[in-house]
């Protein structure tokens, strides 16, 4: 007895084999965004879950130019399109009355930042957050489109916890459970709408 909204969301995600490299089954959420009902259902499901949880911070990652040399060349315009972490966070923040905090690549944020490095399958990456954006004791939700190995969510949580925030939960549209990313979250709850094997 699956929620019909989940059925629609699942059907709206296009899976592209061997993109951006052989062996990867790419979960393409651009087709979800083309279906206004599926997009609305996605946001609504998160909002329903978090609206009465006293969350004052929604944090998400902008994903421009990760590993550009190892994957595919990313142009300026593609960068905007591919910042998938920023698509779902802001509508959830607006609907729950929380502030939205962007977590970004190095050298993108103009103010004082704290940084968290993390390990990727090949190489390293880094996320930064503005100092002062989140205060100690604030209740935060971390949002991303997808959890694979969990490295990204783990780094995002570390940033928030280092400034004394309480991460209530992580929320993703899609989980790839075979990669066991959940196990990297140190017991922090993770809520996902769709699992993909
Ligand atoms: C994807 C996705 C998550 C991350 C999850 O982003 O949007 O942010 O990978 O992977 P992990 O659980 O193994 O850390 P990607 O690196 O493809 O960047 P993008 O958002 O720039 O496309």
């Amino acid at each position: 007895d699956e929620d019909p909204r989940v059925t629609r969301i699942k059907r709206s995600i296009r899976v592209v084999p061997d993109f951006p490299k052989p062996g990867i089954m790419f979960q393409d959420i651009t087709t979800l965004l083309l279906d206004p009902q599926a997009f609305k259902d996605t946001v609504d499901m998160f909002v329903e879950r978090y609206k009465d949880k006293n969350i004052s911070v929604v944090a998400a990652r902008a994903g421009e130019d990760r590993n550009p040399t190892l994957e595919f060349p990313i142009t300026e315009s593609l960068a905007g399109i591919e910042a998938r972490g920023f698509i779902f966070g802001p509508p959830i923040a607006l609907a729950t009355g929380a502030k939205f905090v962007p977590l970004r690549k190095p050298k993108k944020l103009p103010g004082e930042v704290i940084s968290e490095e993390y390990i990727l399958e090949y190489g390293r990456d880094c996320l930064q957050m503005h100092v002062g954006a989140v205060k100690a004791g604030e209740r935060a939700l971390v949002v991303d489109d997808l959890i694979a190995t969990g490295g990204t969510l783990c780094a995002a949580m570390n940033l928030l916890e280092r400034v004394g925030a309480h991460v209530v939960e992580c929320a993703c549209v899609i989980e790839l459970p075979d990669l066991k990313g959940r196990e990297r979250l140190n017991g922090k709850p993770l809520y996902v709408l769709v699992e993909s094997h």
Side-chain angles (χ1 to χ4, degrees):
D1 299 327
E2 187 172 80
D3 186 325
R5 294 176 299 181
V6 170
T7 312
R8 185 172 189 129
I9 293 163
K10 260 187 206 162
R11 271 200 247 127
S12 72
I13 297 165
R14 172 169 60 178
V15 180
V16 185
D18 298 319
F19 184 86
K21 45 191 176 189
I24 297 203
M25 299 287 279
F26 188 84
Q27 307 288 315
D28 182 12
I29 53 107
T30 66
T31 45
L32 183 159
L33 304 173
L34 293 176
D35 179 342
Q37 189 62 50
F39 188 16
K40 183 175 187 305
D41 287 348
T42 304
V43 173
D44 285 351
M45 287 188 73
F46 289 128
V47 171
E48 271 173 32
R49 184 170 176 89
Y50 298 115
K51 64 175 191 288
D52 298 318
K53 298 258 166 50
N54 268 324
I55 285 168
S56 65
V57 180
V58 173
R61 160 180 176 266
E64 69 278 5
D65 51 75
R66 173 192 235 190
N67 264 354
T69 51
L70 287 168
E71 293 182 355
F72 51 101
I74 296 175
T75 62
E76 284 289 321
S77 59
L78 243 185
I81 296 163
E82 282 295 320
R84 285 168 286 155
F86 275 14
I87 295 170
F88 300 102
I92 298 167
L94 287 173
T96 56
K99 57 187 172 187
F100 178 72
V101 176
L103 309 178
R104 301 211 62 187
K105 296 285 168 157
K107 300 187 180 158
K108 299 286 186 184
L109 294 170
E112 189 192 339
V113 296
I114 59 168
S115 306
E116 188 73 26
E117 275 205 14
Y118 58 107
I119 310 288
L120 298 169
E121 197 181 353
Y122 303 99
R124 296 167 165 276
D125 214 332
C126 180
L127 281 185
Q128 295 188 327
M129 179 174 77
H130 266 146
V131 169
V134 180
K135 310 251 176 323
E138 283 199 277
R139 288 167 60 79
L141 172 70
V142 180
V143 174
D144 207 347
D145 66 322
L146 177 139
I147 174 168
T149 66
T152 304
L153 281 184
C154 194
M157 279 198 299
N158 287 346
L159 283 175
L160 289 154
E161 287 179 347
R162 279 168 57 193
V163 300
H166 171 61
V167 177
V168 174
E169 194 159 80
C170 297
C172 290
V173 182
I174 307 160
E175 177 182 12
L176 306 181
D178 299 341
L179 297 181
K180 302 190 189 308
R182 215 175 253 275
E183 291 173 13
R184 271 178 83 173
L185 303 181
N186 303 320
K188 195 59 75 180
L190 168 69
Y191 177 64
V192 298
L193 303 183
V194 172
E195 288 185 5
S196 182
H197 293 273

